[in-house]
Amino acid sequence: MIDGEVWLRSEGAEARILPDAGCRLGSLRARGLELLRTEGERPEEWGSYPMVPWVGRMGGARFEFAGAVHEFPADAPPHALHGLGYRAAWKQVAGDAGSAAFELALADPWPFAGRVEQTFTIRPDGLTTVLRIESDAEAFPAQAGWHPWFRRRLAVGEPLELSFEPAWQEERGPDHLPTGRRIPVAPGPRDDCYGTPGGLDATLLWPGALRLRMTSDCAYTVVYDMPVDHVCVEPETGPPNGLTAPATHLVRPGEPLIATTTWTWTSVGA
C-alpha cells in the first residue's frame, strides 16, 4: 500500500514521486508517454529508485571498514541488494510545482550517523535528480546511484535501443559480483557494470516515439537488459560490492557525496 504521492509537472511532462516507497519515481510521463515500469511484485522491480548508501549487490551482505565487519539482511541471498533507501519512507523537506526535496536519516542496520537528500527538478524537456549523502560525525564509505526500469516498448513506436560508449566492462564472476578485473566491452544480454570515468552519456531511443539522453557525473554504469519488457540503465558512483574497494568515496562531515543525473527528451517522428 502506497500512502502518499508528490506530483511534479511542467508543460508536457509529469513525475509521480512516492516518498513512502523508497522515494522513487513511480511514474514519468513525457510527451504523453509513460517511460517507466509502474508496478512490480517486489520493491526492486519497478519505477526508478535511489540506491544508497551502497549500489547493486553487497557480497555476502557484509562489508569491512576500519577493522570492523558490518552485516545486513541478505534480501538477495547471499547478498544485500541496492542499499537501504529504496525500501524506506522518506520525508519531504521542500517543494513547489516543479521541484521537490526529500530526506532520509541513515539508521539501523546502517552503523554510521548520517542522512541522504534527494531532489527532483522537472522541465518541459527533462528531469534532473540529485543525491547527497552527508555524515553527522565520523567518516564512512558510501555509494549512490539510481535504478530506473524503462519500458522496452512505449505506447507507440519501436522497441528501445540503447547506445553508450563505456571505457571498460567489469568482469562479472559466477556470484554476479565484479571480480575487480577490467575487460573489453562484450555484447549482451547484460547484467553488467561498465566504467564511465568521464561521466555517463547514453541515448535511449524508441524509434518513432522518443529519444532520451541520460547524462550523469557517475563514474560507473550498470546495464540490465535481460528482462523481456524492460531495460535498466543505472548511473552509480562506484561498482557493485564496492564499499570495501580502495577507491570508495569516504563521506566526512562537511564533505558529502553528491551524484547527479539528468534525463532530457525529444519527440521522434515515425
Side-chain angles (χ1 to χ4, degrees):
M1 172 99 182
I2 296 170
D3 294 327
E5 59 185 21
V6 175
W7 286 91
L8 301 182
R9 293 182 172 91
S10 187
E11 183 179 355
E14 62 178 16
R16 179 186 183 224
I17 304 166
L18 304 172
D20 294 336
C23 203
R24 77 185 62 215
L25 284 173
S27 168
L28 178 64
R29 298 184 65 85
R31 306 288 195 267
L33 299 171
E34 177 60 62
L35 306 187
L36 300 176
R37 185 182 192 186
T38 56
E39 58 184 11
E41 293 184 3
R42 300 196 298 265
E44 65 269 24
E45 293 183 338
W46 62 283
S48 177
Y49 53 82
M51 295 184 288
V52 289
W54 73 85
V55 300
R57 296 174 178 89
M58 179 193 292
R62 53 191 285 162
F63 77 94
E64 182 176 352
F65 177 68
V69 175
H70 305 286
E71 298 185 351
F72 298 86
D75 49 7
H79 309 310
L81 192 66
H82 298 331
L84 302 171
Y86 79 102
R87 293 178 176 270
W90 296 52
K91 177 184 177 181
Q92 185 173 5
V93 293
D96 54 34
S99 65
F102 304 85
E103 186 176 85
L104 173 69
L106 293 173
D108 186 65
W110 187 249
F112 308 103
R115 66 179 63 85
V116 184
E117 184 179 82
Q118 183 171 210
T119 62
F120 300 86
T121 304
I122 199 167
R123 307 176 307 281
D125 65 344
L127 177 76
T128 295
T129 313
V130 181
L131 280 168
R132 179 186 181 97
I133 304 178
E134 298 181 343
S135 169
D136 289 344
E138 60 190 308
F140 59 79
Q143 297 172 305
W146 293 271
H147 197 307
W149 286 80
F150 291 105
R151 297 187 177 196
R152 196 178 287 270
R153 280 187 174 273
L154 304 184
V156 299
E158 299 301 316
L160 173 61
E161 301 173 3
L162 170 65
S163 60
F164 75 120
E165 296 183 2
W168 69 84
Q169 181 173 327
E170 296 283 335
E171 183 181 57
R172 172 164 46 95
D175 56 2
H176 283 265
L177 302 177
T179 66
R181 179 170 172 258
R182 296 177 177 179
I183 61 174
V185 176
R190 297 169 286 193
D191 183 10
D192 293 289
C193 180
Y194 301 87
T196 49
L200 173 64
D201 191 344
T203 298
L204 290 76
L205 173 64
W206 293 268
L210 199 78
R211 176 182 288 106
L212 185 149
R213 182 184 181 193
M214 178 189 292
T215 58
S216 175
D217 53 10
C218 289
Y220 292 83
T221 301
V222 167
V223 175
Y224 178 46
D225 63 4
M226 292 182 177
V228 173
D229 297 325
H230 304 92
V231 176
C232 304
V233 184
E234 310 162 32
E236 304 176 352
T237 62
N241 199 36
L243 286 185
T244 57
T248 296
H249 186 94
L250 289 182
V251 176
R252 299 180 174 88
E255 298 178 18
L257 172 62
I258 301 173
T260 301
T261 186
T262 295
W263 303 353
T264 306
W265 49 75
T266 55
S267 297
V268 177

